[in-house]
């Protein structure tokens, strides 16, 4: 089945630790994205990548890092510099056609304890 | 500065009636618009889209209307069903494939049986 897989679904992190969220897609999509959802805030863009080995900052990139070594994979690292990391993280991908509709994974709930 | 605005955080509708969700945008470069539906702790799912060359697009119970001069779009669901209860996000892009979607903050729809 084609789709986007995020893992893990739930993640707990101690304050001061870095953590990496996985995102894999087998849709042969060119672009991949990371969004963060907080209550009442909608979806805010963290990073995106339109091609392998290239990525751009979104609106709230501070405290996050990404890599795009393979077309299928776009992992997100939440670093200790991120001041408020507890949130629901969503990965998406899209193909370059009219509209650029994005398809989402099931999300990762990160909680800092 | 929010480029995509959903001014109603919530909406309650009786089962069988019409649900109308509204969205306004400010960026005149946007020419492709999408609606997503999201259940708690899940990723958003694509519902319906419309490009700026149209003013209406219909898919089953879902219809999206676009008023470019007013920079306004709306999603109509008729008849509304309890399973439609979810958060609905409006999103926009310039359709070039080079820029990520910009999302509104969402409207929580509750369909009451």
């Amino acid at each position: 089945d084609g789709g986007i897989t995020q893992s893990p679904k739930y993640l707990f992190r101690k304050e001061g630790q870095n953590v990496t969220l996985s995102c894999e897609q087998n849709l042969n999509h060119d672009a991949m994205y990371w969004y963060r959802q907080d209550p009442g805030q909608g979806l805010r863009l963290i990073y995106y990548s339109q091609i392998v080995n290239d990525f751009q900052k979104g609106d709230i990139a501070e405290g996050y890092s990404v890599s795009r070594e393979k077309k299928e994979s776009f992992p997100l690292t939440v670093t200790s510099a991120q001041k408020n990391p507890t949130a629901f993280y969503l990965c998406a991908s899209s193909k370059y056609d009219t509209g650029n509709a994005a398809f989402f994974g099931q999300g990762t709930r990160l909680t800092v304890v | 500065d929010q480029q995509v605005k959903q001014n109603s955080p919530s909406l309650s509708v009786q089962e069988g009636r019409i649900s109308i969700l509204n969205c306004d945008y400010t960026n005149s470069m946007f020419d492709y618009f999408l609606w997503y539906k999201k259940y708690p702790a899940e990723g958003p799912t694509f519902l319906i889209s419309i490009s700026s060359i149209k003013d209406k697009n219909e898919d089953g119970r879902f219809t999206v209307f676009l008023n470019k001069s007013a920079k306004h779009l709306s999603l109509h669901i008729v008849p509304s069903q309890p399973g439609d209860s979810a958060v609905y996000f409006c999103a926009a892009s310039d359709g070039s494939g080079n820029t990520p979607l910009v999302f509104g903050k969402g409207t929580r729809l509750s369909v009451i049986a």
Side-chain angles (χ1 to χ4, degrees):
Chain A
D1 251 18
I4 305 172
T5 302
Q6 289 186 241
S7 60
K9 188 162 178 65
Y10 299 97
L11 189 56
F12 295 88
R13 187 197 91 177
K14 289 185 179 178
E15 236 176 288
Q17 286 181 339
N18 292 356
V19 64
T20 297
L21 282 59
S22 170
C23 178
E24 304 274 334
Q25 55 98 0
N26 60 4
L27 299 166
N28 197 33
H29 283 175
D30 304 293
M32 296 187 75
Y33 314 86
W34 276 104
Y35 289 89
R36 168 180 169 145
Q37 186 190 14
D38 296 282
Q41 292 292 323
L43 303 179
R44 293 184 292 168
L45 182 67
I46 304 172
Y47 267 98
Y48 65 104
S49 167
Q50 296 168 314
I51 195 169
V52 173
N53 292 323
D54 190 36
F55 47 82
Q56 287 77 41
K57 291 182 179 180
D59 301 318
I60 54 165
E62 186 176 348
Y64 299 98
S65 66
V66 292
S67 63
R68 186 88 185 276
E69 296 176 3
K70 298 186 299 182
K71 188 176 184 179
E72 301 80 17
S73 179
F74 191 41
L76 174 75
T77 297
V78 184
T79 74
S80 56
Q82 168 50 231
K83 293 176 183 174
N84 187 17
T86 294
F88 190 56
Y89 290 87
L90 288 157
C91 179
S93 69
S94 67
K95 198 169 179 62
Y96 285 152
D97 59 7
T98 303
N100 209 27
F103 295 88
F104 285 83
Q106 290 299 295
T108 293
R109 176 72 188 175
L110 172 64
T111 304
V112 174
V113 296
Chain B
D1 183 30
Q2 267 193 284
Q3 297 185 73
V4 177
K5 300 179 185 179
Q6 294 178 256
N7 291 320
S8 298
S10 62
L11 174 68
S12 287
V13 171
Q14 274 201 309
E15 182 179 4
R17 299 288 184 103
I18 184 170
S19 295
I20 300 176
L21 295 94
N22 293 303
C23 179
D24 297 294
Y25 62 96
T26 57
N27 189 338
S28 57
M29 297 300 293
F30 289 151
D31 67 357
Y32 192 72
F33 305 89
L34 308 90
W35 285 95
Y36 285 82
K37 176 180 180 179
K38 187 182 180 302
Y39 293 119
E42 292 185 10
T45 54
F46 170 71
L47 260 182
I48 191 168
S49 63
I50 188 167
S51 75
S52 60
I53 61 173
K54 293 186 171 182
D55 56 15
K56 176 183 173 181
N57 189 26
E58 197 171 348
D59 184 2
R61 294 185 298 114
F62 302 92
T63 303
V64 56
F65 294 92
L66 175 63
N67 182 335
K68 275 201 78 176
S69 60
K71 293 192 177 69
H72 177 83
L73 63 153
S74 61
L75 174 68
H76 292 211
I77 306 172
V78 55
S80 301
Q81 299 173 353
D84 295 330
S85 297
V87 177
Y88 289 80
F89 289 100
C90 172
S93 80
D94 63 11
S96 67
N98 291 327
T99 54
L101 295 176
V102 178
F103 286 85
K105 291 190 175 183
T107 295
R108 180 177 301 280
L109 173 65
S110 299
V111 179
I112 305 159

